[in-house]
Amino acid sequence: MKSKKNITILISFFICLFLYLYSKTLPIPVANTSLFQGNEFRIAHRCGKSILPENTLYACKEIYNNNLADILEMDVHLTKDSHLVVIHDATVDRTTNGKGKVSDFTYDEIRNLDAGYNFTIDTKTFPYRNKGIQILELEEFLKALPYANYYIELKVKDLLAAEILVKLIEKYTMQKKVFIGSVSDSVNE
């Protein structure tokens, strides 16, 4: 009896897994098409992280100007002096020539790092080093690409970050162009 129950659970698990994986290959239907044209869309995860230096204005401009995606997905953190900057990780180690937590840098300090430094496709060449690619404030993205659609994920559990994000969306009248995600339930409220 117990064996039959385990087999049923196992089969159910595999059916659910199959359906989940299969759904990932299908176009994503959009319930609210007022934000986007049509009922399907393409998302540039971290602004094209596999083809360009991730979460950079340079990458977002390339993706947007070449119509490679309908939505620019990006992540934001707060600097020590409360600037909302676009970067995925809590540290600058993986993507730049610097070391340390984003929250330990001032905006001027973090902006001086090379955000293209560690980007490579072949693990041998680093074509974006010393090209002036920076970690920038989210506001720079909204100013430079006002017609783009955004999915912005707050990576910090800090209500100040949410407040800054909301003020920026209102300042640039982006209420119908921005989706917001958060790692914290309290920020989502």
Side-chain angles (χ1 to χ4, degrees):
M1 183 76 166
K2 190 174 184 181
S3 175
K4 206 175 211 183
K5 183 178 178 182
N6 288 342
I7 290 172
T8 304
I9 291 171
L10 189 61
I11 290 171
S12 297
F13 170 77
F14 281 112
I15 290 171
C16 289
L17 180 63
F18 170 78
L19 291 173
Y20 171 77
L21 293 174
Y22 179 72
S23 73
K24 294 298 178 190
T25 64
L26 299 174
I28 301 168
V30 178
N32 182 356
T33 56
S34 64
L35 293 174
F36 307 101
Q37 299 298 317
N39 62 356
E40 300 174 358
F41 55 88
R42 302 162 295 154
I43 299 175
H45 183 242
R46 295 189 207 161
C47 294
K49 75 176 187 96
S50 60
I51 59 173
L52 295 162
E54 70 179 60
N55 276 327
T56 62
L57 183 55
Y58 172 80
C60 285
K61 283 181 175 179
E62 287 294 308
I63 296 293
Y64 182 79
N65 291 334
N66 290 297
N67 193 30
L68 299 175
D70 303 305
I71 300 172
L72 301 173
E73 186 272 339
M74 59 188 60
D75 311 282
V76 292
H77 284 272
L78 278 176
T79 60
K80 179 169 48 176
D81 52 349
S82 300
H83 288 261
L84 197 59
V85 294
V86 178
I87 184 170
H88 178 269
D89 300 351
T91 69
V92 298
D93 303 22
R94 184 177 59 82
T95 56
T96 75
N97 58 332
K99 298 280 183 223
K101 293 180 181 179
V102 172
S103 60
D104 290 339
F105 286 87
T106 66
Y107 181 56
D108 286 338
E109 292 168 339
I110 206 165
R111 191 174 58 197
N112 285 317
L113 298 175
D114 186 344
Y117 190 80
N118 286 325
F119 179 81
T120 182
I121 293 176
D122 61 12
T123 69
K124 296 175 186 153
T125 58
F126 299 88
Y128 294 98
R129 280 187 179 172
N130 303 312
K131 302 288 185 190
I133 298 173
Q134 303 169 291
I135 296 172
L136 295 173
E137 286 184 286
L138 175 62
E139 185 167 11
E140 296 302 318
F141 290 72
L142 301 180
K143 277 196 256 182
L145 297 166
Y147 301 109
N149 296 307
Y150 296 88
Y151 177 85
I152 301 168
E153 186 173 344
L154 288 165
K155 289 290 194 178
V156 291
K157 296 179 181 183
D158 189 324
L159 289 176
L160 176 61
E163 290 173 19
I164 293 169
L165 177 56
V166 168
K167 285 179 183 173
L168 286 172
I169 291 168
E170 290 172 346
K171 178 179 179 179
Y172 291 97
T173 319
M174 302 289 282
Q175 293 90 334
K176 293 188 177 184
K177 304 199 75 53
V178 177
F179 285 111
I180 301 171
S182 173
V183 297
S184 172
D185 287 341
S186 63
V187 174
N188 286 331
E189 293 174 353

